[in-house]
Amino acid sequence: MSGNVSNSVVKEILKEQKGMMTVEAAAIVPAVSLILVGVVFLFLFFVDMAIAKSETIRIATETAAAWKTDGSPASGEYETDELLGRDIYFLASGDRSSLAGEAESRMTRRIRERLLITRLEQSTVTVKGQQIRAEAALTLRWPLRGVEKIMGRLFSFSCRAVSPVDCWQEQLRLGACLQ
């Protein structure tokens, strides 16, 4: 009789617990899903940050090389005779006003092509003295409509890359011109 009592007690407990797994899953699955989606979006935000940083460094370096050689920032090609025949005041007096604008539009296009979940807010390339400065600013683009109005801009990133115009090759060339 004791075996029948224990079996009936176990059966009674199991009948009372029948819907508990469904209730627990309904509470846990959305929370775990939200955490996983948040981790994925955070990872993609870090990827976009790396994209913006690498492109600003690349554009600053390419523009500095084009400024030094008076060549094309896209290909880096220049006329050898013109490069060697420059006078000592070329860097200070050379008129390359379109170079910064061309580099800025190139950087903007290249960053926008590669972004995953962020929006490019600002991109600038400036030539100041002996430096080329490239800057970019990103903000997270929310995946649902209207969330940005409610939440605002929580995640933003800005980066700056500076590349010097004078490198050791330029110093050697200027030194050779002085002699």
Side-chain angles (χ1 to χ4, degrees):
M1 184 142 183
S2 69
N4 288 340
V5 171
S6 64
N7 284 342
S8 66
V9 170
V10 170
K11 287 180 182 177
E12 196 65 35
I13 291 172
L14 289 176
K15 282 183 182 178
E16 290 177 11
Q17 304 261 337
K18 218 170 195 175
M20 292 300 289
M21 183 60 187
T22 306
V23 172
E24 289 173 4
I28 292 173
V29 169
V32 170
S33 299
L34 185 64
I35 291 171
L36 287 176
V37 168
V39 168
V40 167
F41 266 85
L42 191 62
F43 172 75
L44 292 175
F45 184 68
F46 286 138
V47 168
D48 282 354
M49 287 170 47
I51 287 169
K53 185 66 177 172
S54 68
E55 286 300 325
T56 55
I57 292 170
R58 186 174 180 176
I59 290 294
T61 306
E62 288 176 358
T63 307
W67 183 270
K68 288 181 284 205
T69 61
D70 202 20
S72 167
S75 65
E77 295 177 0
Y78 57 88
E79 296 293 327
T80 309
D81 297 335
E82 290 180 18
L83 175 65
L84 296 175
R86 296 186 304 193
D87 63 354
I88 194 168
Y89 301 106
F90 175 77
L91 290 175
S93 64
D95 181 25
R96 294 185 273 317
S97 57
S98 65
L99 184 64
E102 182 182 339
E104 185 175 322
S105 65
R106 188 161 186 247
M107 183 174 73
T108 302
R109 180 179 41 83
R110 286 172 63 170
I111 290 176
R112 281 194 176 141
E113 286 174 354
R114 296 178 61 196
L115 289 180
L116 300 170
I117 63 164
T118 56
R119 178 184 315 119
L120 181 66
E121 291 293 324
Q122 171 196 1
S123 66
T124 57
V125 176
T126 55
V127 179
K128 208 174 223 184
Q130 296 292 319
Q131 292 182 339
I132 306 292
R133 180 175 291 168
E135 299 177 70
L138 306 174
T139 57
L140 179 67
R141 191 174 43 189
W142 291 99
L144 300 172
R145 288 194 159 195
V147 174
E148 192 168 328
K149 291 179 183 176
I150 297 168
M151 298 292 288
R153 295 180 182 176
L154 292 180
F155 296 108
S156 62
F157 171 75
S158 62
C159 59
R160 176 185 305 148
V162 177
S163 183
V165 171
D166 56 343
C167 64
W168 64 273
Q169 297 98 333
E170 187 66 24
Q171 296 299 324
L172 284 176
R173 190 193 67 73
L174 288 173
C177 288
L178 289 174
Q179 293 177 357

